[in-house]
Amino acid sequence: MKISTFKYFLIPLCLLMLSTQCDENSEPLSKEEQLISLKTEIENLANTSICDGIFECKFIAFGSKSCGGPKSYLMYSTSIDTEQLESLIETYNQNETQYNTENGIFSDCSIVIPPTSVNCENNTCVPVY
């Protein structure tokens, strides 16, 4: 009887272990995929921020055009870990600059104007131009 119970435990355990083994053929993410993943992480973090009378709205240059300067400005509030956000954006901007240089990426070279200020509307930071 004990052996029968053991089989019912051992077989599913073996199947579970086989289904979760590492795929040795998986390739690491390309630099473009890494940039996309990091951008998504940054945007998700910024989107969790809320503003009200306690939390201040801010903006930061986000992305890197091949001609120089940022691609856009990201709005966020101080309700999130701003040091983490700023560090992620610094990494992203540096990596995108390097990617643009290595791959001969061109851009429209237009200047993206930063907002003059940021207002809080419906608990969301909104740029003012």
Side-chain angles (χ1 to χ4, degrees), residues 45-117:
L45 178 58
N47 288 336
T48 63
S49 70
I50 57 168
C51 60
D52 59 18
I54 299 171
F55 301 111
E56 178 185 0
C57 288
K58 294 185 171 193
F59 65 91
I60 187 168
F62 185 39
S64 175
K65 287 190 167 196
S66 59
C67 297
K71 282 186 174 177
S72 65
Y73 289 90
L74 184 68
M75 309 304 127
Y76 66 97
S77 82
T78 56
S79 68
I80 59 173
D81 184 349
T82 58
E83 288 182 15
Q84 178 189 12
L85 179 70
E86 290 167 1
S87 175
L88 289 170
I89 288 175
E90 182 179 342
T91 300
Y92 178 83
N93 291 350
Q94 289 173 353
N95 289 348
E96 188 169 43
T97 298
Q98 181 180 7
Y99 177 82
N100 291 344
T101 302
E102 290 173 354
N103 294 286
I105 303 297
F106 291 96
S107 70
D108 60 11
C109 298
S110 64
I111 297 172
V112 179
I113 300 171
T116 56
S117 64

Side-chain angles (χ1 to χ4, degrees), residues 2-13:
K2 289 182 181 181
I3 295 176
S4 174
T5 306
F6 184 70
K7 285 185 206 176
Y8 289 115
F9 175 73
L10 184 60
I11 292 172
L13 180 63

